[in-house]
Every structure is written in C-alpha cells, then in structure tokens.
Amino acid sequence: MLAEVYRQAGVPPGVFNIVNGAGDVGGYLTAHPDIAKVSFTGQVSTGKKVAASAAGGMKYVTMELGGKSPLLVLPDADVEQAVDGAMMANFFSTGQVCTNGTRVFVHRDMKAAFEETLLEKMQYIRAGDLMDPRTNFGPLVSKQHYDKVLDYIHHGIDVDQATLLYGGPEKPIFPSPVPKELSNGYWVHPTIFTNCSDSMKIVRDEIFGPVMTLLTYTTVPEAIARASDTTLGLAAGVFTKDLNAAHQVVQQLQAGITWVNTWGESPAEMSVGGWKQSGVGVENGRRGLEAWVRNKSTLVDMSGSVATVFGKL
C-alpha cells in the first residue's frame, strides 16, 4: 500500500522498493556493495547480526533495538496521572512497542493507592475491531508471538512467583466483548504483576506484550540506580509535580529517550535513539536526516597562487 501511495504521488521507480524475504535476503542486502546505508528496527540479537554484516563493508548504520524501559513515579506525583501514563506505557498497541515502560517503579507509600487506581481504570480497556475508533486494545501480531507472551506470563506466576494483580494466561474476557468474527485472533489479557523484584525474568526481559511489572522503592536515588541497572537504554520516564526534580532524575537515567509526565509522544522534529544495547544513532529530527546523507568537504582557492612552504627563500 505504501509503495502504491508513493507511485501515485510521482516518486520515480526505483527510489522506494519493497523486497520481501527472510534473514538470508536481509543478509544479502546488508552485505551488497551497492547498499551504502543500513537502518534496522528490531530485537537486539538480530540488530547485532545486521550491524556486523554492514560493518564488513564499512556502511553507515542506524539501529533502533529493544528496550526494557523504566517509568518512575515520584512520591509527589498525581496518582491518577501516573496510572494513565503507566497504562499508555504498557498497553498501547497491545504492548507491542519497543519503548514500553514495563518496569513501573512506585514509592512504597503510594503502592496501595496506585494499584487501586490502576485496577479501576482497567475497565476502560476496549478490545475489538482496530478500525473502530472506540477500540484501544487489539490482538497480538502472530501465533508465535502469542505463545511467547503467554510463556512469560506463566513464568511470572510459576517461576518468578510475582503477585498477579490483573489478567493472566487464561482466555481473556473483556468488559466489552470482542466481536465474534474477531474471536479467533491472538488475544491476551492485559496483565499486571506486583511485588516484583529486579532479578525476575519478567522484569529483566523484553516481553513485547501487554505485561506490566510493578516495583516499589524507598528513596529516589535507589530507584534511579535500579532503573538503569540493565544492558538496555532505549527510553525512560518520570512522573512528578516538581519540574526541577524531574530534570534531576532524567539527567541520571541511562536512556536515550526520556519523558516527563507523559509517555510515548515522539514528534517528528524530536531526534530519538537508544543508549547501550538499545541502538546506534538516532531517527527523526535534523540529526535523523543527517544520518541519511554523506558529508563532503570542498575548499576552493581562486587567488591565483598556492600557499606553500616550498618556495624559494
């Protein structure tokens, strides 16, 4: 569809091409001498392979890879606003977003209020036809991915032994029933685990599904340190009424994309990219455009003489 839009808009043939195929096709493209730039969005392990292949030809690369992003709710934050942000950071696009804020750090004194408000708002998740503007939750993209997400949910219950606050692996029953013709989709419960610890697999791994983990902290410096204790660094966010505190926290978070009192917004003029194993380079903004051009420097002298140290003394 996108290729057809470009064609109708008058983009010359060959400027925009779609090449379908598996990993072998991607490997061929990244290694081909006619390809000067490679951009990849996907999981870390695949990104490393793509970057390694491109490096063999000294090609420019942009890598937008995985994340396990922290969302810090400071003690002074508005609970309802923070809950709204946490839901956007976990359940938008059924959790299939690389910048998801799946590690939600809540001060221990506000844990009960946060969980109560969160459970109240779960009724507003409306599963259904994605072409219906009232729908805000859809199925997972494939059977393979559905099985993977369910495996993580089972692991959270059986192995990590986190407390299941909402959802779970059972066939979901939504407040607004899914239309019958869509019932065979790969639907999964939006799931919330609480009483989590940093060492749990569901807290460490990128699940890429609607699975929120709640962690409590005692001091803000502790929360910052734990939030950055990961090999990934794609995104992070903080909710607070104190703008100075927000900037102090954001400055210390080891992530390339950060938000204050919101989650997920990324205007085209805002350059975004991951730190650590979450990526190389940036997308969007002026810097994102510069990543797609090669620099050429030219100095011209029309004075009629050449400055030289090799003249006659």
Side-chain angles (χ1 to χ4, degrees):
M1 181 181 293
L2 183 59
E4 178 61 20
V5 169
Y6 282 145
R7 188 192 66 78
Q8 293 179 7
V11 176
V15 174
F16 180 82
N17 301 284
I18 296 176
V19 181
N20 296 310
D24 58 334
V25 176
Y28 176 81
L29 288 173
T30 57
H32 197 283
D34 288 346
I35 304 297
K37 159 79 179 188
V38 176
S39 178
F40 175 79
T41 299
Q43 66 182 19
V44 175
S45 59
T46 306
K48 289 180 177 179
K49 295 177 182 178
V50 173
S53 177
M58 296 300 291
K59 303 177 191 294
Y60 293 96
V61 297
T62 299
M63 298 280 122
E64 199 274 278
L65 307 179
K68 191 66 179 179
S69 303
L71 185 158
L72 278 63
V73 182
L74 300 196
D76 72 319
D78 180 272
V79 172
E80 185 166 349
Q81 183 183 8
V83 167
D84 286 340
M87 292 182 68
M88 284 296 293
N90 282 270
F91 304 135
F92 183 78
S93 194
T94 320
Q96 298 166 116
V97 183
C98 52
T99 55
N100 268 2
T102 52
R103 294 185 295 143
V104 181
F105 290 86
V106 180
H107 192 272
R108 65 179 183 181
D109 291 341
M110 64 191 310
K111 175 177 180 285
F114 188 92
E115 291 179 351
E116 180 181 358
T117 305
L118 181 58
L119 290 175
E120 289 174 357
K121 287 180 174 286
M122 293 302 289
Q123 64 180 305
Y124 303 127
I125 290 182
R126 297 179 295 274
D129 185 352
L130 298 183
M131 301 305 291
D132 184 340
R134 296 169 297 180
T135 297
N136 60 18
F137 192 84
L140 293 174
V141 69
S142 68
K143 177 65 163 61
Q144 181 181 10
H145 188 52
Y146 169 83
D147 290 338
K148 172 189 171 183
V149 172
L150 284 187
D151 284 346
Y152 272 108
I153 294 174
H154 280 294
H155 192 280
I157 297 170
D158 301 331
V159 182
D160 288 334
Q161 295 188 338
T163 302
L164 182 64
L165 185 67
Y166 187 91
E170 293 78 18
K171 184 176 178 63
I173 300 176
F174 297 101
S176 301
V178 174
K180 185 177 181 180
E181 63 273 17
L182 303 176
S183 60
N184 290 329
Y186 301 115
W187 298 97
V188 64
H189 263 305
T191 297
I192 305 167
F193 286 103
T194 189
N195 299 325
C196 296
S197 64
D198 298 333
S199 61
M200 291 179 178
K201 185 176 181 179
I202 56 172
V203 175
R204 305 297 298 182
D205 290 5
E206 182 183 31
I207 299 174
F208 214 68
V211 182
M212 180 192 300
T213 59
L214 298 180
L215 304 104
T216 57
Y217 67 91
T218 303
T219 68
V220 173
E222 169 210 335
I224 294 171
R226 291 167 58 197
S228 296
D229 183 21
T230 171
T231 59
L232 304 175
L234 186 56
V238 57
F239 280 78
T240 177
K241 297 174 184 175
D242 186 337
L243 185 58
N244 288 330
H247 282 292
Q248 289 171 4
V249 171
V250 162
Q251 183 182 20
Q252 299 175 71
L253 293 172
Q254 297 175 18
I257 311 167
T258 53
W259 291 286
V260 175
N261 294 333
T262 187
W263 196 277
E265 297 174 55
S266 182
E269 63 273 18
M270 176 180 170
S271 297
V272 294
W275 288 12
K276 299 191 280 190
Q277 293 195 40
S278 286
V280 175
V282 299
E283 299 173 333
N284 298 344
R286 183 181 180 86
R287 288 187 60 206
L289 291 175
E290 289 174 348
W292 288 91
V293 297
R294 287 183 288 193
N295 184 70
K296 178 181 287 187
S297 300
T298 304
L299 191 152
V300 179
D301 188 331
M302 299 292 291
S303 67
S305 64
V306 177
T308 177
V309 298
F310 300 108
K312 183 179 180 181
L313 294 177

